[in-house]
Structures are given as C-alpha cells and as structure tokens.
Amino acid sequence: EWLAVRLLVKELFGVECEVAYHPTGRPYLKNGIAHISISHTKGFAAVAYHHEAPIGMDIEYISSRVERIASRFTTQVETSYIDMHDEDVRQMYHLIHWSTKETLYKLYDLPSMAEFKEVFHVAPHLICTQGTLNVTVHSSAAAVVEVNYRVFPDFVCTFAVAML
C-alpha cells in the first residue's frame, strides 16, 4: 500500500513527489504542488488531490465490519433512518456513513473531531451508486459540508474539498 501510494502520486503529477506527514498524520507533498489525501483498504489504495484547497478522501472495502461498531459513529437520527432498510442496504449505509466521517476527519485534521458521533451528522438520504451527502459539522461553528460518494463493486469512496 505504501508503494502503491507513491506510484499513484508519481502517475498523478508526472514527477517524483515526496510524501511527508504532519504530526497529526495528515499527508502532504513536500514540494507543495497540491493538497493530498490518502486511503487504502484490503488491496486497494487511493490518492485524491486538489491544487488549491485541503481535501479529505476515504475508501472502505465492502463488508459487514463497520456494522459491529456502528453505534459508536452513528447518531440516533442516522440510526433510525438506516434501520428502516433491509440488511444489505443497512450495510451500505453504514459503510458510506463511516467513510464520510473518516473523510471529514481527514479534511479537518483536528484531533478534537475524533468523536464522529458527536461532531458529524449526516442528513437523511437515499443510497445510489454515487451522490452527494450534506453533513453538519459541529465544531467551534456549525457548518454544512458536502461529501461526495461513489459505490464500486468492491469498495466505497468518499471525498470532500474544504470551502475556501
């Protein structure tokens, strides 16, 4: 995965770019050519970039793994509309919600945002193969952020760009 990320970075920018990490773990390119976000899951690696604004991105392998910890990251409102669906659809909701909250955690890069359940609230939505979610971020000042998602055969991907 480490090597795959470096190869992706070289492919994206056409030159060798050194990937470094802030003390919080957030990756950055030492040459400052762009903002990046990195994710990997069970045999997949991904790099997202934006030339002007911070970006967050996450990929999650499709499995029931996150359902076991759903109560730690979904709010009561999220749980009530997720529970209205059958098992396969609930699994996809949980994956998309987890990935969305991981994306925002990476985007904001603040340790205080590690409490996903309290900080990030995903508005009710229907699941499609791709879409945009509205997420209320409760930090020093509440804001609504758009997170894009796409469902692939083996994984889901979410990403968001900071508002400038």
Side-chain angles (χ1 to χ4, degrees):
E1 293 166 345
W2 184 91
L3 182 57
V5 165
R6 273 66 190 170
L7 290 171
L8 285 169
V9 167
K10 184 177 181 182
E11 182 68 24
L12 286 170
F13 300 107
V15 295
E16 296 271 341
C17 297
E18 186 177 349
V19 177
Y21 295 87
H22 292 288
T24 59
R26 182 185 181 93
Y28 67 95
L29 298 177
K30 277 201 167 180
N31 64 7
I33 194 170
H35 298 270
I36 65 167
S37 187
I38 296 170
S39 188
H40 47 82
T41 186
K42 199 175 179 182
F44 295 95
V47 175
Y49 73 94
H50 195 282
H51 285 292
E52 298 170 6
I55 187 167
M57 182 261 313
D58 186 58
I59 58 175
E60 294 292 333
Y61 191 78
I62 295 175
S63 74
S64 61
R65 181 180 57 88
V66 297
E67 287 188 279
R68 291 189 291 274
I69 61 165
S71 63
R72 295 184 198 165
F73 67 88
T74 55
T75 67
Q76 184 58 45
V77 171
E78 293 166 344
T79 299
S80 62
Y81 75 80
I82 290 171
D83 284 349
M84 295 183 330
H85 301 283
D86 65 30
E87 185 177 340
D88 290 343
V89 177
R90 278 195 312 269
Q91 176 182 303
M92 192 57 62
Y93 269 107
H94 286 131
L95 282 167
I96 290 172
H97 280 225
W98 172 258
S99 187
T100 293
K101 293 178 183 197
E102 278 281 332
T103 288
L104 292 173
Y105 179 70
K106 291 176 180 183
L107 176 67
Y108 285 99
D109 193 32
L110 295 172
S112 63
M113 294 189 156
E115 295 297 323
F116 290 177
K117 189 173 185 174
E118 285 77 31
V119 179
F120 306 119
H121 299 171
V122 180
H125 59 93
L126 296 176
I127 290 189
C128 301
T129 56
Q130 63 184 24
T132 302
L133 306 175
N134 291 316
V135 183
T136 302
V137 179
H138 297 279
S139 59
S140 56
V144 176
V145 178
E146 287 187 350
V147 177
N148 297 284
Y149 74 90
R150 184 156 180 205
V151 178
F152 293 89
D154 295 319
F155 62 91
V156 299
C157 176
T158 56
F159 65 93
V161 177
M163 303 297 278
L164 295 176

